[in-house]
Each structure stands twice: as structure tokens, then as C-alpha cells.
Amino acid sequence: MPSLLLSSPSELDELKKLTQKKSKKEESMAAELYQNGSLEDEKKSKKKKKHKNLDAEDGEIDDSDGEGSEKKISKKKRKASDEEGSNTIIDAAAVNGTALKKLKLKKKDEDGEVIARGEDEGAASPNAVSKFRISKVLREKLKLKGIESLFPIQAMTFDSVLDGSDLVGRARTGQGKTLAFVLPILESLTNGKYKAARKTGYGRPPSVLVLLPTRELANQVYADFEVYGGAVGLSACCLYGGSPYRAQELALKRGIDIVVGTPGRIKDHIERGTLDLKFVKFRILDEADEMLNMGFVDDVELILGKVEDVSKVQTLLFSATLPDWVKKISARFLKRDKKTADLVGNEKLKASASVRHLVLPCTRQARVQLIPDIIHCYSRGGRTIIFTETKESASELAGSLPGSRALHGDIVQAQREVILAGFRSGRFLVLVATNVAARGLDIQDVQLIIQCEPPRDVEAYIHRSGRTGRAGNTGVAILLYEPRYSYSISRLERESGVKFEHISPPQPADVAESAGSDAAKAISNISDSVIPVFQSQAEQLLSSSSLSAVDLLAKALAKAAGYTDIKQRSLLSSIENYVTLLLQAGKTIDSPAFAFSILRRVLPNEKIGGVKGLSLTADGMGAVFDVPADDVNAFVESQENANMATIEVLKSLPPLQGNDQSRGGDTRRGRFGGGRFSGGRGGNGNSGRRNGGLHGKGNGGGRNRFNKRW
Ligand SMILES: Nc1ncnc2c1ncn2[C@@H]1O[C@H](COP(=O)(O)OP(=O)(O)OP(=O)(O)O)[C@@H](O)[C@H]1O
């Protein structure tokens, strides 16, 4: 059971409604004073908290205890708990225990108690930052970043983490899981439970350890700790491979509060004796499923085991994907009374709900021509990330897409950082990456994700597509697939709960529409000062050309948009200079052989030889196939000699037999096989290749296995 079923982009609103309902019901609860951001009453309120029980509508949440004590849970919740130890599931209705009290406090204090100016409007929201035990300095930092309310996963987990629980948190991509651990950890260290116990002074060992799977993500999370931790006087450092040891060692020697990093380098520091994890109070596995994957789990286990007393450490696991095997393996690191906040749960849709998920047939050979047009039509002028399966194809593709850069594991670290910084700053708008960029990266204005082939596991799909549509924004994710491997789309659809929209490749009209309007805008923005300089050339062009002024302007727009020629494109494979035709015979066409026999009656053999990818329509009344653009007229005109048969150019693809994704599984693997799409050589190698992964649960392998590929 998910603790909260939220799937629409308006998840926040949903949560608000729920918590508002609760506010009324629980208005009479004892107020917990928490004034003006200080936690001076923390101890007192903790005592009161010991008696706090929130009666949730669908279950009783006992939020009363700190570490180790038993939880009271309803039968329903108990059943779920029993499967994984005495685990408490945090319910949406339990969100904001503190917030509710703060609301009450606000009423009491209307006559003069200090409430920071500007927080009043925010206070209208049940998840307003001001309603949580977040100190003033952090509230101000958050406000500077435009954050006035907590997102659902943050609101649901804040009290539990601050009050000392181990926790597993899952929310879809882009929903703020990073701050869900950053904020309560900082409060806990500076105002809460660990304030007195944490080490301070020169040479202090870290109190917080955050493990992440990639260097880029480690840097990003480190940046958050630097900003927010810096505000409350805590220092952070980032330890990852590919960068010099010296600066890292110096930072550790001086003493540090928060260590963020990747397992390999952290293990190195432990072995060199430069990192002491004995006194860690918080251990966090971000992208927990990846961290517990085969490639990392041994290192992770070794690193987490370096704490002196596990009973005194809080362990937090977060990810947008938590397959069942993770729950089992993570039990090794979590206390039995851990809490779980799962905003995905058993909901069908596991991927981001604010992303449009599209699929498009495209042979490998057609990619390079197709991708620029996809970007024109779908990126809305924002950033695009293209995912390839291998480092080689990332470099190759970036080499053929002007204005793009590649990011993968073979690029030296310093260069990787320059590339990512350039993409973040908008110096270039297209990044071609391997899975190094699949998880966690939060980059503004990424409007479009293109995946060059179906990833080997559903988690990769969820994380890659989740690089767009973040923090309440929308985005588009387009998955390209070899026509002959359409069955892998069905698998992803089933496992991710996404209902893919099947689209046709952008055609000249689509390209003209988007590229042309961009070019028109660009032209309108050009200063009038250019007119006198170019006027005589323009007049000369107009007088010497047989074209009208509008036609010439159209050509100028095309040139400005980077087009000198627009080719037609197959709807079946996206190959350029192929056109997709529909043959109908006024009766059922029940086999490709029958379709070919009709064509043979009216066309010479050399034309028939050019037919590719012949497929029957789902209604059984037609056959679609590609022919070279130069042969289109011959095919269309041939129908004059064909008794009852018609041949027409298709604008969009009708449903095809065996291609119904919703039914799951393409039974006609051979349809595009037999070399019909000779250009589709090599394919994606994904044919039916379930990853089998570690732990036998399709987790997508791990660093050891895939490091070479990324
Ligand atoms: N309460 C908030 N209000 C507004 N924006 C927020 C809030 N919390 C986080 N954000 C922003 O939301 C974006 C996504 O956050 P974050 O990267 O933590 O998501 P995530 O859930 O960890 O995603 P992923 O699963 O992809 O790692 C960030 O830009 C972050 O600054």
C-alpha cells in the first residue's frame, strides 16, 4: 500500500487538501511552541510529542517515539510492517504534525508574537516552510531559492528524520528528495538530537555521510549541503574519483561535518586513513537502489560498516525507484522500526506524471537525421539530453550533432565538469550522455529527453525520462526504437505503467512549423540597422528571381533555421527519402504474400525490390510499406491498372497487426526482420534481453558490469 497515492501533476494540491482536512479535525491538539525559527523548545516539545498520537483516517499513526521504541500501528499497517520488520508507514495524513501546531500557535499569537514578516502568505499553505521546525536562517536561505513550501516527500519525512528515525523515502523524479534529507539533517545537527553529541573543532570527523552513484550527482548534492549547511555553520566536502586527493585530504584533515561522495573514492580515503567514519550520525544512500546494486553494494556495505555504533546512527534511503529486492537488502542497514514514506507505492505509474512519454520507430541509421528535427519540434527552445547505451555512440552522435557535447565515463573528470557546467549555464543546449547523467541530475529548463534505444531496465527509463518535468514543470521524453524490436516498448510500458503515445517522425510540415517560427522570431528581432546594408542585395534577388517575395522569404527562413533541403521520412523507420504507402484491396489482406502479389500485378520487379518493412494493418484491410521517395509516383500511378486496389501516401501510421502496445508483446518479431530494413543493421542489441540483473530482480546490473559502457 502506498502511504499516499499521488499521481497527477497536482500532487501538492492533493496533499494540501488532505492536510487541510486534518487541520480542522485536529485543531484542538496541544500546541508545540516553536518560536521564530529557534529550536529552544525542542526538548520540551519532544516530551509532549511522547504523547502525541495522530488518528489517521485510514490508519493510526503513532509518531510518538524516538529510536528503538515500539510503534502502534493499525491492523492494516501492521500487516505491511510485519513483512519488513516493525516498520512504520508514514501517511499523508500524518504530515505536518508540527505544522498543525504552528497554525494553532499563530492564532494565539496574533496580538504581537513575532512571526517573521513575509511568512504570513506562506503560512496559508499547510506545508509552508514556516510550519516546520526549520530555523530562521534556513528558512531565509530557502526563501532566497524561491522555496516557501515543502514538497510532499519533504513534508512527509521531515519530522521523522528530525526526531531520529531511520527512513526509506520514495517519490517520483524531480520531487525534491534531496532537500527531504538535507533539511532535517541540518536541523538535527544544529538544533536537534545531535546538537550536543556531534564532534566540533579542528580535525573533527564527519557527522554525515552521503553516498551517491555518480560524480556529477555527488557534486550536485554537495552543492546543496554547501548552501544550506554553510548557512548554519556546517562544512561539507565532496569526495569522488578522477579528482586530486590532496585538496580532499586537506579538507578532511581540517575537519568536516558532512561528507558527500562516491563509494570508490570514499573507500580509498578510508584505506589511506584519511577518513574516519566512526562518529557518523547520519548515513544516506541517495539513489538507494543503484547504491545497493551489484556494482556498489560491497563497497557500500564496507563503508557503512565503519561507524562505531550502528544503534546510534540514522540511516536514510531515497530513490524514485525501489524494487522489491532493495527492500530486502536494505534491511541489513536499517533499524527494524524504520519509517517508510512512499509516494509511488503500488500505483501503476512509476515514471514522472508531468512528462509526456512518446515513442517513435527509428532505425539506428536514421537517428542522426531525425534527432535535429525532433529537437526542433519538441524542445521548445530549452535544453535536450540524449541518452545512448554506450560511450562510443554518445561520442559518435555528439560528433554529428552540431552544438552538442558528449558526457560519459571515458571523458576525464575535469572535462566532464566543464561540459556539465556548460550545459547548465546554457552555453550549449544538447547533451549526449550515457547513464552517467541518468540519475539525480537536476538541470534547469531541460525540456526534452531523447533515448536512442529502449534501456535495458525500467528503472533506467524512469530516471532518464525524469531529467525533465521536474519540480512541477512539464517536459517531453521520446524513446526511439528499432521497428523490429517494438516488443521492448510493450515491456517498458507494462513495467513503468506509462501509456506511451506513439508518434510519427517529424515531417516537413512539422519541421517548418517549429523551425520556421523560431527563425521568424529571430528575424523579427534583428535590428533595423541591417536593412540599408542588405537592401540592394534583397532588391536584386527579388528582381532577378522568378519566385515571389513570399517564396523568397520562405527560403530565407529555411536558411535561417538551418535547412537547405527537406526530405521526406518513412513513418515506419524514420529513414529519410523513404515514403510510407498504404495498399488497400477492397477486401481483407491476410498475408504479406497476398499484398506482394497485388503489387506484382501492377509494378515491375525492380520497383517491388525497393519495398521495405511491409506490415499488415490491424483492421486486416490494408498493408503499409516503405518505398524510395523517387518511386512514390510510380506506385501511386500504378493503381490505375489495379482492379479495386488503391495505393496512397500515408500522413500518419494506422495501428498495425501485433503492434498494439497495450496488449503487450509483439508477436511478429520477424516482420521487419530478414534484412528488410537493411539500414537497421546491428539494432540495439536489446532483443528480449532482460537484464536478469543482480539479485535476479531486474535491477539493471551495476557499476562493475556497466561501468565500461557508461
Ligand atoms: N519545496 C520545494 N519548492 C520548490 N522547489 C523545490 C522544493 N524542493 C526541491 N525543489 C527543487 O526541485 C528540484 C528537484 O529536486 P531534487 O533534485 O531533490 O529531486 P529528486 O526527487 O531528488 O529527483 P531525482 O529522483 O531525479 O533525483 C530541484 O531543482 C530543487 O531545487
Side-chain angles (χ1 to χ4, degrees):
M1 264 306 271
S3 43
L4 179 64
L5 298 178
L6 295 174
S7 65
S8 74
S10 60
E11 287 176 343
L12 249 168
D13 290 335
E14 277 297 315
L15 186 77
K16 280 178 195 164
K17 274 184 227 156
L18 276 167
T19 44
Q20 269 157 356
K21 231 197 240 170
K22 280 325 269 183
S23 326
K24 284 189 196 134
K25 205 170 158 188
E26 292 158 4
E27 192 95 55
S28 63
M29 291 187 75
E32 176 183 24
L33 271 174
Y34 177 62
Q35 288 185 12
N36 204 21
S38 99
L39 277 172
E40 59 200 25
D41 294 325
E42 167 83 0
K43 282 183 192 152
K44 263 192 257 166
S45 54
K46 270 267 172 79
K47 273 187 195 156
K48 282 185 194 167
K49 266 173 160 280
K50 292 252 172 204
H51 304 287
K52 180 179 89 177
N53 262 334
L54 293 179
D55 269 338
E57 273 156 15
D58 60 343
E60 183 184 311
I61 299 287
D62 183 348
D63 197 20
S64 65
D65 50 0
E67 287 174 44
S69 60
E70 278 299 312
K71 311 278 185 295
K72 284 181 195 164
I73 47 173
S74 68
K75 265 191 201 161
K76 201 161 112 192
K77 296 280 157 69
R78 194 185 305 277
K79 186 167 177 278
S81 305
D82 286 349
E83 284 161 16
E84 296 158 32
S86 59
N87 161 29
T88 300
I89 296 172
I90 304 173
D91 201 317
V95 174
N96 256 349
T98 314
L100 292 172
K101 291 166 190 171
K102 185 78 191 279
L103 212 61
K104 175 105 177 168
L105 166 69
K106 190 175 163 251
K107 274 190 187 161
K108 275 186 181 170
D109 292 348
E110 258 161 10
D111 290 336
E113 187 64 50
V114 186
I115 290 176
R117 208 169 264 284
E119 289 185 350
D120 283 3
E121 329 91 63
S125 151
N127 289 329
V129 169
S130 58
K131 291 173 184 165
F132 291 82
R133 289 173 282 164
I134 297 176
S135 54
K136 190 173 180 203
V137 62
L138 278 186
R139 289 207 305 266
E140 280 169 358
K141 255 297 171 247
L142 287 165
K143 197 169 178 190
L144 275 177
K145 297 267 174 191
I147 297 178
E148 309 237 0
S149 287
L150 295 194
F151 280 170
I153 188 69
Q154 300 161 350
M156 284 177 82
T157 57
F158 186 87
D159 281 350
S160 300
V161 178
L162 183 53
D163 292 341
S165 295
D166 279 7
L167 184 127
V168 178
R170 173 160 72 151
R172 292 190 181 84
T173 51
Q175 303 214 333
K177 293 183 288 296
T178 313
L179 286 186
F181 60 82
V182 169
L183 296 175
I185 285 176
L186 295 179
E187 286 301 346
S188 189
L189 292 176
T190 53
N191 292 309
K193 186 174 165 154
Y194 298 113
K195 184 177 178 181
R198 102 179 143 83
K199 302 272 175 203
T200 53
Y202 188 86
R204 65 196 175 282
S207 301
V208 180
L209 170 71
V210 188
L211 292 177
L212 302 116
T214 65
R215 298 163 181 182
E216 284 70 22
L217 187 51
N219 251 326
Q220 182 180 297
V221 170
Y222 160 70
D224 272 348
F225 270 112
E226 244 202 335
V227 169
Y228 297 105
V232 293
L234 298 178
S235 61
C237 73
C238 193
L239 309 179
Y240 55 87
S243 55
Y245 279 92
R246 180 132 181 82
Q248 297 177 356
E249 283 173 354
L250 274 177
L252 292 170
K253 197 168 176 204
R254 272 197 304 271
I256 210 84
D257 300 301
I258 299 145
V259 163
V260 181
T262 51
R265 179 58 64 97
I266 289 195
K267 197 175 136 207
D268 288 350
H269 277 289
I270 294 171
E271 283 163 3
R272 286 167 163 238
T274 43
L275 177 62
D276 175 7
L277 296 177
K278 263 202 234 119
F279 303 102
V280 157
K281 307 288 177 218
F282 285 99
R283 315 181 292 189
I284 297 96
L285 298 184
D286 196 6
E287 308 298 342
D289 51 331
E290 183 67 4
M291 301 313 299
L292 296 174
N293 210 335
M294 183 154 54
F296 286 120
V297 73
D298 292 342
D299 284 355
V300 167
E301 206 157 358
L302 183 145
I303 293 167
L304 297 189
K306 294 291 172 190
V307 298
E308 195 171 54
D309 181 353
V310 283
S311 71
K312 291 192 180 136
V313 179
Q314 261 179 269
T315 306
L316 314 176
L317 268 55
F318 282 90
S319 184
T321 49
L322 287 171
D324 285 341
W325 64 263
V326 175
K327 290 174 194 154
K328 286 187 191 120
I329 203 169
S330 63
R332 287 191 223 160
F333 310 109
L334 294 159
K335 298 193 194 81
R336 283 183 62 78
D337 63 352
K338 71 170 187 297
K339 295 192 176 183
T340 300
D342 191 347
L343 283 170
V344 183
N346 293 333
E347 268 201 75
K348 190 163 184 279
L349 181 66
K350 312 286 182 206
S352 172
S354 37
V355 172
R356 256 181 91 195
H357 299 270
L358 313 177
V359 288
L360 174 51
C362 174
T363 63
R364 192 185 186 87
Q365 165 208 27
R367 271 183 213 159
V368 175
Q369 289 97 23
L370 179 67
I371 286 175
D373 288 349
I374 293 181
I375 293 173
H376 265 302
C377 293
Y378 291 95
S379 73
R380 295 184 283 190
R383 292 173 180 76
T384 298
I385 304 179
I386 303 170
F387 286 103
T388 64
E389 290 296 304
T390 64
K391 295 179 280 199
E392 295 72 27
S393 33
S395 294
E396 206 179 297
L397 189 57
S400 21
L401 290 176
S404 73
R405 302 293 301 273
L407 183 77
H408 57 68
D410 268 359
I411 297 170
V412 292
Q413 186 54 30
Q415 185 64 9
R416 267 164 76 162
E417 284 166 30
V418 170
I419 290 166
L420 198 61
F423 186 57
R424 279 190 196 276
S425 69
R427 215 155 10 89
F428 60 95
L429 296 179
V430 179
L431 184 72
V432 187
T434 56
N435 274 347
V436 289
R439 283 181 179 251
L441 287 190
D442 183 64
I443 298 167
Q444 269 207 331
D445 200 31
V446 172
Q447 297 285 342
L448 174 64
I449 301 300
I450 300 172
Q451 300 184 54
C452 286
E453 49 198 271
R456 47 185 67 222
D457 57 281
V458 67
E459 286 81 19
Y461 180 82
I462 292 168
H463 289 279
R464 288 168 169 189
S465 58
R467 294 316 97 212
T468 184
R470 302 177 67 75
N473 296 307
T474 57
V476 174
I478 299 182
L479 175 59
L480 307 181
Y481 66 96
E482 287 274 352
R484 62 186 145 161
Y485 296 134
S486 62
Y487 56 90
S488 56
I489 300 299
S490 314
R491 171 179 60 79
L492 273 181
E493 199 162 50
R494 264 195 318 277
E495 293 178 0
S496 65
V498 165
K499 182 81 193 112
F500 285 119
E501 254 178 78
H502 291 255
I503 56 165
S504 305
Q507 294 295 330
D510 305 312
V511 173
E513 200 178 309
S514 67
S517 76
D518 289 348
K521 259 185 237 153
I523 288 177
S524 320
N525 288 337
I526 289 176
S527 154
D528 288 352
S529 64
V530 303
I531 295 174
V533 181
F534 289 91
Q535 201 165 31
S536 67
Q537 277 296 333
E539 279 164 359
Q540 214 177 311
L541 186 60
L542 196 53
S543 60
S544 65
S545 169
S546 57
L547 296 174
S548 68
V550 171
D551 288 353
L552 280 172
L553 195 53
K555 277 191 169 192
L557 281 171
K559 177 73 182 156
Y563 288 87
T564 48
D565 179 22
I566 293 183
K567 298 187 178 100
Q568 287 175 292
R569 189 170 267 148
S570 154
L571 301 178
L572 286 165
S573 66
S574 296
I575 297 178
E576 276 188 356
N577 284 332
Y578 274 83
V579 174
T580 307
L581 302 180
L582 170 68
L583 167 74
Q584 289 177 302
K587 58 182 170 183
T588 308
I589 298 181
D590 55 9
S591 70
F594 181 43
F596 274 111
S597 73
I598 300 171
L599 293 175
R600 265 191 212 102
R601 262 184 255 147
V602 291
L603 285 148
N605 267 347
E606 73 262 22
K607 297 286 178 212
I608 304 289
V611 169
K612 285 179 184 281
L614 190 137
S615 300
L616 303 183
T617 58
D619 64 5
M621 297 304 290
V624 297
F625 53 93
D626 281 347
V627 296
D630 290 345
D631 289 349
V632 170
N633 286 344
F635 274 80
V636 172
E637 283 160 15
S638 73
Q639 61 187 319
E640 285 167 18
N641 309 320
N643 191 17
M644 300 290 284
T646 60
I647 298 175
E648 62 180 292
V649 175
L650 277 176
K651 290 228 157 44
S652 64
L653 213 52
L656 302 179
Q657 279 181 24
N659 226 3
D660 179 357
Q661 310 298 327
S662 62
R663 271 192 265 131
D666 184 347
T667 52
R668 309 166 309 111
R669 288 184 198 183
R671 187 158 311 269
F672 284 88
R676 280 190 178 279
F677 274 106
S678 50
R681 187 203 71 78
N684 58 11
N686 263 357
S687 53
R689 185 174 58 194
R690 276 305 285 125
N691 65 68
L694 165 82
H695 319 304
K697 296 283 178 181
N699 58 36
R703 196 174 65 135
N704 289 348
R705 189 141 71 91
F706 293 122
N707 213 20
K708 285 201 198 88
R709 296 172 63 86
W710 296 5

